[in-house]
Each structure stands twice: as C-alpha cells, then as structure tokens.
Amino acid sequence: MQRLQLAEGVPEGLEVWRLALDLNAPVADEDDRLLSRAEWQRAQRLRHHADVVRAVATRAALRRLLSAHTGIAPEKLVFTQNAYGKPELENADGPAFNVSHSGNVALIALAPSGAVGVDIERCRPEAELAPLHGLVLSPSEQRDRIRGATLPFMERWVVKEAVLKTLGLGIADHLQALSVSPAAVPPASYCLKHSLPVSSPLQAWPLPAPSGYAAALGYAKSYAQS
C-alpha cells in the first residue's frame, strides 16, 4: 500500500493510500479474518472472484489504516452508514474516510476532520461515454463541451463522484447539480459550482493515478446541509 503525494493546497492531515490488487490471487487469509461476519457474507455474494478480492482486500486495508489512527484492533472496529450508504465509524473517535476501487486499483482517503470522498475509474473511449453526457453533465458543462471544453469526461466524472461521496449524497440524483471546471493552475483545486443542498465550502483535487485511470479527491472542512 502506497501513500500518495497530494497536490499543493490540500489541507494538512488528509491522506490518500493506493492499493494495488492482484485479482487472480486467492483471498488472503490475513485480510479475510479482519472482516466482520456481515462484510464477509456481503463479499461472498459477489459473483466474480476478482470482485471478492477487491472487496475483501480494500476493506481489510481500510480497517488496518483506521486501527493505526484509533488504536482499536482492526477486527474490532464497527461501522455504521447514512441513508445513502456512506460508512463511518460507530462509537470511535477516528478520521472520516472513503474508499473507491476500479480494475486492479483501490484508493482509501482519510481526513482528521470534516468529510472526505475519493473516486477512481478506469478510463474508457470518449465515444463510448457519449450516451452518458446528458445524465452526468450540468447544462453549463454541456455548453462548455460544445465550445470545446478541455476537461475530459472521465475527469469530470471522478471529480463529481468524489465530491458527492464527500457529502454522502445519492450520486445519480445530483450529478447535474455540480459543475466542474479545470483549475486555473494545475494541480490546484478544481473550480466547483453547484446547487447542492449543502452550505459547506467544497473542494476537489486531481489524484495521481496509474496509466488508463482517472482519480480525484473531494473534501469539505465542515459539513452542514442547507
């Protein structure tokens, strides 16, 4: 597991860890034994072996990182979740966190305070993504695209997912409520405009990703719904 170097301007204390997954390997016993019974059962319901490896390895890595921050044994940590399924620690004073995985890569983000979200996606040809433009892009983004916008669709997508995961909101219902523009001076934070039901300032940054992937980090210093 590798800790990523984050962009200049990312608040102190934020961490993002990247996990390289061997999807053909058996599930590691040392990972399997850290999961709760509910997590293990959820993983076993997945149809493909690669999905089981992704789920178990990522959850075990998350438990190890949270254990290092809380002092609680990784297998003893208990999670709860909000109405949209965003998990958080139950009855433990620990960091906010979020995870994402795609292909053979997983990301885990931690924040000492506030709320954090992360997303990584395997890139696909722009032509394959055209049918999604009307579902994902805000009206202003669609106009920008017609004028020859410079931000690739997949980059916009991961930024939107990271920000919405930060807020713990339903992603499909709010994609068009958020507009993403390139940073004036990369790799500074993206320019975000939104009509989301929150009053907290939102920030997002690009993350280093392996070739063929796009990734982003979202953060809110404090989180309050408006």
Side-chain angles (χ1 to χ4, degrees):
M1 189 159 48
Q2 174 191 6
R3 183 172 178 178
L4 298 183
Q5 183 173 350
L6 303 181
E8 186 176 345
V10 173
E12 186 176 354
L14 263 67
E15 302 175 16
V16 180
W17 296 81
R18 185 165 69 204
L19 184 64
L21 304 169
D22 183 351
L23 302 180
N24 295 314
V27 173
D29 290 339
E30 60 267 27
D31 290 346
D32 204 15
R33 66 169 179 256
L34 296 184
L35 272 61
S36 68
R37 181 171 180 81
E39 289 169 337
W40 184 86
Q41 290 175 335
R42 192 158 54 243
Q44 294 307 307
R45 287 196 293 267
L46 298 171
R47 294 181 59 188
H48 302 291
H49 175 75
D51 294 330
V52 177
V53 171
R54 260 190 297 265
V56 173
T58 305
R59 196 64 164 190
L62 171 65
R63 283 180 168 274
R64 291 188 181 100
L65 288 170
L66 291 175
S67 174
H69 281 270
T70 62
I72 300 172
E75 68 275 13
K76 299 294 186 183
L77 292 166
V78 178
F79 298 92
T80 184
Q81 61 185 30
N82 73 2
Y84 294 101
K86 183 176 182 178
E88 58 186 30
L89 285 173
E90 183 176 82
N91 301 324
D93 184 15
F97 62 89
N98 196 238
V99 303
S100 180
H101 46 66
S102 180
N104 61 354
V105 185
L107 296 179
I108 300 173
L110 305 174
S113 61
V116 68
V118 68
D119 191 52
I120 184 167
E121 301 289 344
R122 182 179 282 170
C123 295
R124 294 155 55 188
E126 288 284 319
E128 289 185 15
L129 299 167
L132 298 175
H133 291 177
L135 301 174
V136 174
L137 301 180
S138 69
S140 65
E141 288 173 323
Q142 293 186 46
R143 290 192 296 270
D144 288 345
R145 192 166 190 85
I146 292 173
R147 292 195 294 263
T150 57
L151 207 59
F153 179 84
M154 285 304 302
E155 188 172 353
R156 289 187 194 272
W157 174 272
V158 295
V159 176
K160 286 174 180 253
E161 287 239 15
V163 170
L164 293 173
K165 290 172 71 179
T166 297
L167 301 174
L169 294 174
I171 291 173
D173 295 337
H174 296 92
L175 286 167
Q176 291 185 314
L178 173 63
S179 297
V180 181
S181 300
V185 183
S189 59
Y190 292 100
C191 178
L192 305 177
K193 296 181 180 180
H194 66 86
S195 57
L196 298 167
V198 295
S199 56
S200 306
L202 303 176
Q203 294 176 279
W205 300 267
L207 287 175
S211 177
Y213 290 82
L217 173 69
Y219 178 67
K221 185 175 182 180
S222 61
Y223 174 43
Q225 290 192 343
S226 59

